C-alpha cells in the first residue's frame, strides 16, 4: 500500500462514524484510530524498516466539535498512544513498594520499560518502541485494562 | 554470579568421593561405620567425615546414624544439561538446556538469552537462585540441591492476546509431572497455583516480551518445591506451602521430575500450536476440580460467588451467579465453597 492509497483510505474512513479500523493484507497492516484520545495512524510492516514506527500523519479527522476537546487535541497533536496488547491489570512499578517505571514528563529511551500488564500470571513488560516523552499516563496503578486500551500518551522524540 | 556454565556432571568429583558413593550404592540401606569407610578408602575417619560433608553439599542425601555411621539415602541428583538431556525425548522443549550452578533468577537469565536470540524451547535451569522472585517482586526462596528452578523460552507465532493461555499449559504440565513421579494428587487453583493437600508446592511466573501484534518471546518460569525441608521455608509466607517430599514422605529425584515436566510441556505445547487451546483447557478444568462447583473469588475487598461454568479464551473464570447473571472474572483468589460437602 502506498501513501496515496493510505490517504484515500483515511479519507474514506473519516467520512464514516468508524473510530477504529484495522486492515491486514499481504503482511502489511494498517491501523487507524481516531476520536479520543489521540488521532493516530499506524502503519507497520512485518520487517523492521525505517517506517516501522507509527507514522504521525496529520490526519484531518472531521472536527467533532466537543467542548473542552481543544486541550486534548493540542496535546494529542504530536502524540502517540501506547496501547495494551492484552486484557489484564496495569502495574506502574515492578513491586508495590518500588518507584514507578516512569512519570509524566520523563524522557524514555527505546526499549525502556514503561509498565507491566499482567494477565493470568503472565507479566507483560510494555516497552517504549521508540525514544519519547511521557505526556500522560492513562491508567492508575493496579487498574484493569482492556485489549487495545490506551496506557500512555507519548510524544516521539 | 556464576553465569550459565554447563558443568560436566563427572567433573570436580574427587576419586575418593566417587568411590565412597560406589561403596554406598553397592549395599543400599546399609549403615557404614566411619572406620569401615576409612579402611575401604584408605583414609582417616576425619577425612571420611569431610568427604561425606562435601557430598552432602552437592545434594547427596547421607544420613548420620548416631554411634553407628552413615547411611546413603539419595542418589546424586544434579540438574545439569548433560544429565537431563540423557533420555529426554522431546520435540522442542529442552532440545537445548542451559544449566547454571547458581544464577540471579532463571527467568532473568532466560530473558537475557532470549534477547540475544535463544530459540523456541530453550530451557534454563539453575541449582540455586540468589534472586528468585514471584509476582510483583515477591521473593521465591531458592536454596540449592533440593528444588527445581527452571524457565522455558517459547516463541509461538501468535498474537500476544493469546499468550495468557500458556499459563494454563505450564500449570497442567507441572500437575502431570507431579502425578507421574509421586503418588500425590495435585490440584490446580485458578489460574496456575499447584496445590497438594491444600498446600502450594509450585510457583509459576510467566513473562512476555511483545509488541502490540507480535510476541517476541514468552518465558515460562517454573519453580517446584521438590525436596525442600520444613526448616528451609521462610516465615510469613502468603500461602501455606510445602514440598513434594514433605507431602509424600519420599525424596523426589530431581532429574526424573524435570524430564517428566519437560516432556509434559512439550506434548502440551505441540498440541496447542497445532490444535489450539481446547485440550489444555479441558485438562486444566479436570485438574482444577472447579467445574460445576460453587466458588468464591475474592479480589481486595470485593468478592463474587457463583458456579463455575469454565474458562474462556482469555483464561477468565466464567461464573454463574446466584441471581442468574453470568460473570467473567479476570483476577482474584478462588475458594471452593462446596469443598467440605462434596
Amino acid at each position: 500500500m502506498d501513501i496515496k492509497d493510505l490517504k484515500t483510505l483515511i479519507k474514506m474512513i473519516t467520512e464514516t462514524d468508524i473510530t477504529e479500523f484495522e486492515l491486514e493484507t499481504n503482511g502489511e497492516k494498517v491501523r487507524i484510530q481516531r476520536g479520543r484520545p489521540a488521532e493516530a495512524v499506524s502503519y507497520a510492516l512485518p520487517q523492521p524498516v525505517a517506517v516501522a514506527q507509527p507514522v504521525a500523519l496529520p490526519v484531518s479527522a472531521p472536527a467533532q466539535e466537543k467542548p473542552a476537546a481543544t486541550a486534548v487535541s493540542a496535546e494529542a497533536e504530536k502524540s502517540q498512544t501506547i496501547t495494551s496488547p492484552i486484557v489484564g491489570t496495569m502495574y506502574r512499578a515492578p513491586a508495590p513498594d518500588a518507584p514507578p517505571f516512569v512519570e509524566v514528563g520523563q524522557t524514555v529511551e527505546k526499549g525502556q520499560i514503561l509498565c507491566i500488564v499482567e494477565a493470568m500470571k503472565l507479566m507483560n513488560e510494555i516497552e517504549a518502541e521508540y525514544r519519547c516523552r511521557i505526556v500522560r499516563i492513562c491508567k492508575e496503578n493496579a487498574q484493569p485494562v482492556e485489549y487495545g486500551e490506551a496506557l500512555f500518551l507519548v510524544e516521539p522524540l | 554470579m556464576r553465569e550459565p556454565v554447563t558443568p560436566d556432571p563427572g567433573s570436580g568429583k574427587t576419586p575418593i568421593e566417587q568411590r565412597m558413593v560406589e561403596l554406598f550404592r553397592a549395599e543400599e540401606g546399609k549403615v557404614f561405620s566411619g572406620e569401615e569407610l576409612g579402611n575401604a578408602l584408605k583414609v582417616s575417619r576425619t577425612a571420611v567425615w569431610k568427604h561425606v560433608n562435601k557430598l552432602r553439599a552437592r545434594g547427596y542425601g547421607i544420613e548420620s546414624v548416631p554411634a553407628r555411621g552413615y547411611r546413603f539415602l539419595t542418589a546424586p541428583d544434579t540438574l545439569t544439561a548433560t544429565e537431563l538431556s540423557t533420555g529426554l525425548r522431546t520435540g522442542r522443549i529442552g532440545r537445548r538446556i542451559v544449566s547454571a550452578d547458581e544464577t540471579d533468577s532463571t527467568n532473568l537469565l532466560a530473558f537475557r538469552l532470549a534477547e540475544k536470540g535463544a530459540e523456541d524451547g530453550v530451557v534454563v535451569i539453575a541449582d540455586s537462585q540468589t534472586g528468585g522472585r514471584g509476582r510483583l517482586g515477591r521473593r521465591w526462596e531458592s536454596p540449592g540441591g533440593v528444588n527445581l528452578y527452571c524457565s522455558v523460552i517459547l516463541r509461538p507465532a501468535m498474537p500476544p492476546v493469546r499468550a495468557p493461555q500458556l499459563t494454563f499449559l505450564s500449570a497442567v504440565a507441572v500437575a502431570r509431572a507431579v502425578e507421574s513421579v509421586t503418588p500425590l494428587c495435585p490440584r490446580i487453583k485458578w489460574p496456575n497455583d499447584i496445590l497438594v493437600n491444600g498446600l502450594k508446592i509450585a510457583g509459576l511466573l510467566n513473562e512476555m516480551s511483545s509488541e502490540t501484534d507480535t510476541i517476541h518471546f514468552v518465558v515460562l518460569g517454573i519453580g517446584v518445591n521438590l525436596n525442600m525441608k520444613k526448616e528451609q521455608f521462610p516465615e510469613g509466607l502468603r500461602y501455606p506451602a510445602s514440598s513434594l517430599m514433605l507431602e509424600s514422605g519420599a525424596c523426589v529425584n530431581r532429574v526424573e521430575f524435570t524430564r517428566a515436566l519437560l516432556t509434559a510441556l512439550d506434548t502440551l505445547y505441540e498440541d496447542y500450536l497445532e490444535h489450539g487451546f481446547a485440550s489444555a483447557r479441558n485438562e486444566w478444568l479436570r485438574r482444577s476440580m472447579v467445574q460445576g462447583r460453587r466458588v468464591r473469588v475474592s479480589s481486595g475487598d470485593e468478592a463474587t460467588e457463583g458456579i463455575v461454568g469454565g474458562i474462556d479464551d482469555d483464561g477468565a473464570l466464567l461464573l454463574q451467579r446466584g441471581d442468574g447473571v453470568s460473570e467473567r472474572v479476570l483476577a482474584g483468589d478462588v475458594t471452593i465453597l462446596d469443598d467440605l460437602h462434596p
Side-chain angles (χ1 to χ4, degrees):
Chain A
M1 177 175 296
D2 63 27
I3 203 82
K4 200 164 149 258
D5 291 339
L6 200 56
K7 271 188 175 164
T8 315
L9 190 62
I10 290 166
K11 192 157 179 293
M12 276 166 60
I13 285 164
T14 48
E15 282 163 10
T16 71
D17 285 328
I18 295 169
T19 53
E20 226 173 300
F21 175 87
E22 207 165 312
L23 172 74
E24 198 162 6
T25 47
N26 307 323
E28 286 183 344
K29 191 160 189 175
V30 177
R31 194 172 124 86
I32 298 173
Q33 200 187 334
R34 65 198 193 90
R36 39 104 232 159
E39 320 282 353
V41 175
S42 61
Y43 179 73
L45 292 171
Q47 307 86 5
V49 291
V51 295
Q53 279 328 319
V55 182
L57 290 182
V59 184
S60 51
Q64 296 168 326
E65 291 298 335
K66 278 185 194 154
T70 352
V72 176
S73 39
E75 187 184 55
E77 213 162 88
K78 293 177 290 180
S79 299
Q80 299 280 319
T81 45
I82 293 173
T83 57
S84 179
I86 52 177
V87 180
T89 307
M90 185 221 207
Y91 292 103
R92 289 195 48 212
D97 52 356
F101 291 110
V102 293
E103 296 285 7
V104 169
Q106 192 179 333
T107 297
V108 296
E109 301 299 324
K110 180 180 190 296
Q112 195 172 331
I113 299 169
L114 304 175
C115 70
I116 289 173
V117 177
E118 175 185 20
M120 302 299 139
K121 309 294 166 87
L122 175 102
M123 319 302 281
N124 189 8
E125 289 183 348
I126 310 295
E127 295 176 2
E129 289 175 24
Y130 42 87
R131 190 168 186 267
C132 60
R133 192 174 64 81
I134 308 293
V135 175
R136 199 196 317 161
I137 298 169
C138 312
K139 283 277 166 185
E140 297 285 320
N141 186 48
Q143 289 301 302
V145 290
E146 290 299 321
Y147 166 72
E149 201 178 354
L151 298 172
F152 296 94
L153 208 59
V154 299
E155 181 191 332
L157 298 172
Chain B
M1 186 178 70
R2 277 166 279 168
E3 272 294 286
V5 275
T6 308
D8 171 9
S11 72
K13 196 179 281 177
T14 70
I16 287 186
E17 280 148 33
Q18 177 72 56
R19 272 156 52 211
M20 187 183 274
V21 170
E22 282 162 11
L23 277 174
F24 277 131
R25 279 180 156 173
E27 289 174 87
E28 274 189 37
K30 178 184 163 179
V31 179
F32 289 80
S33 72
E35 195 179 353
E36 193 179 355
L37 287 170
N39 289 343
L41 300 166
K42 298 190 176 58
V43 295
S44 70
R45 281 172 66 179
T46 318
V48 166
W49 178 76
K50 279 184 185 163
H51 289 300
V52 165
N53 280 344
K54 275 192 189 170
L55 286 172
R56 282 176 174 156
R58 247 184 250 151
Y60 285 75
I62 301 171
E63 183 189 16
S64 292
V65 183
R68 289 177 60 203
Y70 305 100
R71 178 163 42 204
F72 189 85
L73 295 178
T74 52
D77 189 20
T78 43
L79 294 174
T80 56
T82 324
E83 190 92 348
L84 287 166
S85 301
T86 315
L88 183 68
R89 286 181 235 294
T90 52
R92 272 170 215 268
I93 310 294
R95 291 328 296 158
R96 187 155 86 84
I97 296 174
V98 177
S99 61
D101 250 11
E102 178 185 290
T103 188
D104 44 3
S105 124
T106 58
N107 263 31
L108 287 174
L109 178 50
F111 229 84
R112 292 195 288 272
L113 293 173
E115 276 172 346
K116 283 184 215 151
E119 67 275 18
D120 189 42
V122 168
V123 170
V124 177
I125 291 185
D127 187 60
S128 68
Q129 298 183 116
T130 53
R133 67 213 161 87
R135 279 180 73 241
L136 309 177
R138 289 179 197 128
R139 192 172 156 67
W140 183 259
E141 208 59 37
S142 314
V146 287
N147 293 338
L148 170 66
Y149 317 112
C150 86
S151 296
V152 182
I153 298 169
L154 300 180
R155 296 183 181 275
M158 61 188 202
V161 273
R162 283 187 62 196
Q165 295 173 349
L166 297 170
T167 289
F168 296 84
L169 264 67
S170 76
V172 168
V174 172
R176 276 195 197 177
V178 171
E179 211 171 65
S180 80
V181 305
T182 73
L184 300 168
C185 178
R187 170 193 272 192
I188 307 176
K189 185 173 166 230
W190 182 77
N192 68 345
D193 274 339
I194 313 294
L195 308 182
V196 169
N197 301 326
L199 305 165
K200 181 164 167 160
I201 55 97
L204 312 182
L205 178 74
N206 309 316
E207 297 181 80
M208 169 162 71
S209 163
S210 74
E211 278 172 42
T212 315
D213 304 307
T214 323
I215 295 176
H216 297 313
F217 56 85
V218 173
V219 170
L220 301 180
I222 303 173
V224 188
N225 296 337
L226 298 178
N227 299 320
M228 215 170 166
K229 300 184 199 83
K230 259 205 172 82
E231 60 270 23
Q232 289 178 303
F233 285 91
E235 300 276 317
L237 286 171
R238 281 171 54 86
Y239 297 104
S242 189
S243 70
L244 296 182
M245 183 181 71
L246 288 172
E247 294 312 302
S248 69
C251 200
V252 174
N253 184 296
R254 293 195 296 160
V255 171
E256 194 192 339
F257 181 89
T258 309
R259 280 201 205 125
L261 173 69
L262 299 181
T263 306
L265 192 58
D266 189 64
T267 316
L268 286 158
Y269 187 51
E270 284 295 339
D271 181 80
Y272 175 78
L273 292 178
E274 202 159 315
H275 307 293
F277 191 37
S279 84
R281 175 187 2 219
N282 289 339
E283 187 171 340
W284 184 94
L285 280 170
R286 183 170 62 74
R287 292 183 178 278
S288 76
M289 304 176 203
V290 289
Q291 182 81 336
R293 305 289 290 274
R294 223 160 70 75
V295 301
R296 174 188 295 131
V297 190
S298 33
S299 174
D301 298 335
E302 289 169 41
T304 312
E305 287 185 17
I307 309 278
V308 177
I311 51 172
D312 70 8
D313 282 346
D314 292 326
L317 201 59
L318 303 173
L319 288 187
Q320 188 76 33
R321 288 193 335 216
D323 55 12
V325 177
S326 41
E327 192 168 338
R328 223 174 135 257
V329 184
L330 283 163
D333 200 32
V334 177
T335 321
I336 298 181
L337 295 174
D338 52 7
D339 218 15
L340 300 171
H341 315 283

